[in-house]
Amino acid sequence: MPSLSDMRMVGQTCSAYEAEAEGVERSCETCLHWGGEKRDCILDIFWEQLTNLDQT
């Protein structure tokens, strides 16, 4: 499972992000696409998004 920090970073830049409620912090954890049995992105884009972040 990814760290909370990684979920925040990806949530900030993800073009597919859809908040589950108003006024929540933008993070994968608060996205409608986060969940399932594996507690991961159901669109299967989290790891690709994380890899593509500029982490310099």
Side-chain angles (χ1 to χ4, degrees):
M1 180 162 181
S3 71
L4 292 175
S5 175
D6 288 345
M7 289 192 289
R8 285 185 197 113
M9 285 191 300
V10 171
Q12 293 293 321
T13 60
C14 184
S15 60
Y17 176 81
E18 291 184 47
E20 62 185 6
E22 286 186 41
V24 294
E25 178 183 14
R26 190 167 169 144
S27 169
C28 293
E29 196 171 37
T30 61
C31 180
L32 290 175
H33 303 124
W34 193 259
E37 290 180 22
K38 294 194 257 178
R39 295 295 304 154
D40 202 347
C41 180
I42 60 176
L43 300 178
D44 198 27
I45 60 173
F46 175 82
W47 297 107
E48 179 182 346
Q49 296 272 334
L50 182 62
T51 302
N52 289 331
L53 286 176
D54 180 16
Q55 298 186 16
T56 57

